[in-house]
Amino acid sequence: MIDIRALESTEVNGTTGLTYADEYRRSLKNRGEDPSWVDKLLAMNHKRRQIITQQETLRAQQNKVGEEIARKKRNKEDASEMLQQMQGIATQVKSLEQDVLKAEQEVNDVLLRLPNKVHHSVPVGESAEDNQLVRASGVKREFSFEPKEHWQIGEKLGVLDFERAGKVTGARFTFLRKGASQLERSLIQYMMDLHTREHGYEEMIPPFIANSQSFVGTGQFPKLKDDVFHLSGTDYHLVPTAEVPVTNFFAGEMLKESELPIKFTAYTPCFRSEAGSYGKDTRGLIRQHQFNKVELVMFAHPDKSYELHERLTADAEKILQRLELPYRVVSLCTRDISFGAAKCHDLEVWLPGQKAYREISSCSNFEDFQARRANIRFKGEGPKTKPQFVHTLNGSGLAIGRTLIAIFENFQQEDGSVKIPKVLQSYMGGASEIK
């Protein structure tokens, strides 16, 4: 959520020479949003303040009349006229209370629908084509045969069954069998082990269902409500990512500055309706309604969040490096970055069967955008220190299904088998390939 007080400030940023409101107008324009929302919001908030002022003035008048009525009664004077006046004032105050609630709701509704202000280093662009390459790692394998796509490999091996999953549930679901099932489970275990033992994250398995307020806290609601599976008759929803429950772990709490940064890694199945994705990636595991993911979440001091953003990205990259998968890191441009992110690095793994790089992790710094919505603050030890909102960060470490895809396509053999990366072989009971 954007800080409306910052929008109202006339203070100029020494680096940009602009007020926060002007910076945010520019951010909205670069995102492809309407910059006039800033002025609409400021006008709405001004109206809200005016109503509150009217209400406070009437309450002061109400108190004054009340004191005069009490005086008259003590002196046994007629107070009927003033009592009638008091009733009129009380009616106006009650009416204004409703006006204040309505004005506050209108302001809040707009704030919840406005995206985060992008960081000044985010490249300006019109589409994913304008994302900037940060670095590339690994060597693309040269094949002596035409590499197949993962779904072709999995169906031939009898380890991916889309047809029966369609019968049991519907489109965009899959049965993983034998070696694929074991590989999926091994990847979860390997990623959780690496992030906890080497990267210093605390392991967590959160609820796989969350309430609406948790979705508001991380920015999925109200904008992305159609992308979520809802449990009818309840205020519960299946999580699309562990980001939702784990970020809200500290919702409404005051942390100690000395505790920061706090780092969690969490495994969850993820559920997404994929609204608006009709006709996209209909074959295989790329865009499923249900998939597994290991998530990385950080709560950081504002002064350290961009340093930790690089650290979180490197932690996710380490998985790809250990699995010997070629990948690249790109900085998302203003039209491709997510609603809540101030800056985002995508990790894109090379898929030789598709002859393309595909996203396998998005590592984002949300600054205080989510913390304001979820009310997560911290405070120093000194008596004069004031509470501040934390910065939240998260990223996939990694998406399990897409990692399986990358292994199938990069480690496929001409006879149809798939070699297992060395670091996973002990997790696979010593097996070196899926036949």
Side-chain angles (χ1 to χ4, degrees):
M1 183 180 288
I2 297 300
D3 182 2
I4 196 164
R5 289 176 297 180
L7 283 177
E8 291 175 326
S9 173
T10 57
E11 185 178 345
V12 173
N13 185 323
T15 303
T16 64
L18 301 172
T19 64
Y20 185 91
D22 286 335
E23 289 179 343
Y24 190 57
R25 287 187 189 93
R26 184 167 65 181
S27 177
L28 285 176
K29 182 180 178 181
N30 290 337
R31 276 181 174 271
E33 304 284 350
D34 184 0
S36 70
W37 271 111
V38 173
D39 301 296
K40 293 175 187 175
L41 178 61
L42 291 175
M44 291 167 67
N45 200 47
H46 178 68
K47 178 184 175 183
R48 180 186 69 86
R49 290 183 189 279
Q50 285 182 319
I51 297 171
I52 291 172
T53 299
Q54 285 180 267
Q55 186 185 46
E56 290 173 347
T57 300
L58 280 171
R59 278 180 174 158
Q61 187 179 347
Q62 191 177 32
N63 291 335
K64 187 175 180 180
V65 172
E67 290 172 0
E68 184 63 18
I69 290 171
R71 186 191 66 77
K72 283 182 175 290
K73 286 184 175 181
R74 283 196 303 270
N75 296 333
K76 298 183 179 181
E77 297 176 16
D78 181 20
S80 57
E81 186 177 335
M82 299 203 79
L83 282 169
Q84 189 174 0
Q85 183 183 356
M86 174 68 91
Q87 288 177 348
I89 295 172
T91 300
Q92 291 180 68
V93 168
K94 190 172 182 180
S95 176
L96 283 172
E97 283 176 357
Q98 296 302 312
D99 291 343
V100 168
L101 289 174
K102 182 181 178 183
E104 287 178 343
Q105 186 63 51
E106 288 173 349
V107 168
N108 195 55
D109 286 348
V110 173
L111 283 171
L112 288 176
R113 293 179 182 277
L114 288 176
N116 202 356
K117 182 169 78 73
V118 294
H119 191 260
H120 63 81
S121 64
V122 171
V124 176
E126 298 294 321
S127 70
E129 298 297 318
D130 297 312
N131 294 339
Q132 288 186 0
L133 177 66
V134 177
R135 55 185 169 271
S137 179
V139 178
K140 296 178 184 177
R141 176 184 164 193
E142 293 185 6
F143 291 84
S144 59
F145 57 95
E146 184 65 24
K148 295 181 173 62
E149 294 196 47
H150 71 279
W151 57 269
Q152 296 171 309
I153 300 165
E155 286 186 329
K156 185 176 180 181
L157 288 171
V159 297
L160 298 180
D161 196 323
F162 304 100
E163 184 176 346
R164 288 190 174 95
K167 175 182 67 177
V168 170
T169 309
R172 299 186 189 274
F173 289 91
T174 311
F175 276 107
L176 273 64
R177 303 178 63 192
K178 298 179 285 187
S181 176
Q182 191 179 4
L183 180 59
E184 180 102 350
R185 180 163 50 87
S186 298
L187 283 167
I188 295 168
Q189 184 69 52
Y190 175 68
M191 291 179 193
M192 294 294 283
D193 284 349
L194 181 63
H195 293 315
T196 54
R197 295 173 184 176
E198 296 189 26
H199 297 157
Y201 292 82
E202 178 186 326
E203 181 173 344
M204 176 184 285
I205 295 182
F208 303 157
I209 295 171
N211 58 33
S212 291
Q213 183 53 48
S214 295
F215 280 79
V216 170
T218 47
Q220 276 80 11
F221 287 4
K223 182 177 175 61
L224 304 175
K225 202 164 187 175
D226 289 342
D227 294 335
V228 173
F229 284 111
H230 311 283
L231 300 185
S232 179
T234 74
D235 187 41
Y236 294 157
H237 320 274
L238 299 180
V239 298
T241 164
E243 169 194 347
V244 176
V246 178
T247 302
N248 283 281
F249 184 74
F250 289 123
E253 296 189 29
M254 182 76 70
L255 306 176
K256 295 179 180 178
E257 184 176 7
S258 58
E259 295 176 314
L260 302 177
I262 298 172
K263 299 162 57 176
F264 291 122
T265 183
Y267 157 73
T268 62
C270 303
F271 305 91
R272 298 184 185 177
S273 70
E274 292 295 343
S277 67
Y278 181 79
K280 296 179 182 178
D281 299 313
T282 55
R283 299 299 300 264
L285 300 171
I286 286 286
R287 201 176 295 274
Q288 296 268 285
H289 288 308
Q290 172 189 314
F291 58 95
N292 292 312
K293 187 152 68 78
V294 169
E295 191 78 358
L296 307 175
V297 176
M298 290 186 182
F299 301 86
H301 191 288
D303 294 344
K304 299 288 185 180
S305 68
Y306 277 95
E307 175 186 330
L308 287 167
H309 183 224
E310 295 300 323
R311 180 70 263 168
L312 184 145
T313 303
D315 292 342
E317 285 181 75
K318 185 63 70 176
I319 299 290
L320 294 169
Q321 293 165 6
R322 295 282 179 88
L323 293 174
E324 302 178 78
L325 293 170
Y327 71 93
R328 67 185 184 185
V329 181
V330 297
S331 179
L332 298 194
C333 74
T334 51
R335 293 288 182 98
D336 200 31
I337 198 169
S338 71
F339 172 81
K343 186 170 185 177
C344 180
H345 285 150
D346 265 11
L347 308 188
E348 298 179 342
V349 68
W350 174 248
L351 301 181
Q354 293 193 18
K355 298 179 176 61
Y357 283 99
R358 298 302 298 262
E359 176 207 332
I360 198 168
S361 173
S362 287
C363 299
S364 301
N365 185 351
F366 295 86
E367 296 186 358
D368 64 3
F369 186 79
Q370 292 180 327
R372 286 183 181 279
R373 297 166 78 103
N375 191 25
I376 307 171
R377 298 181 294 167
F378 73 95
K379 191 176 183 298
E381 301 296 330
K384 294 184 179 180
T385 57
K386 294 182 179 180
Q388 298 180 62
F389 288 102
V390 299
H391 280 195
T392 59
L393 305 92
N394 67 58
S396 303
L398 301 163
I400 305 299
R402 293 196 176 193
T403 307
L404 184 146
I405 290 170
I407 290 172
F408 268 37
E409 294 200 11
N410 283 278
F411 287 86
Q412 62 180 293
Q413 305 301 304
E414 192 167 7
D415 65 1
S417 63
V418 175
K419 285 191 174 181
I420 298 167
K422 291 178 183 178
V423 294
L424 294 179
Q425 290 178 13
S426 61
Y427 289 86
M428 295 280 290
S432 60
E433 61 182 356
I434 299 173
K435 296 182 179 181

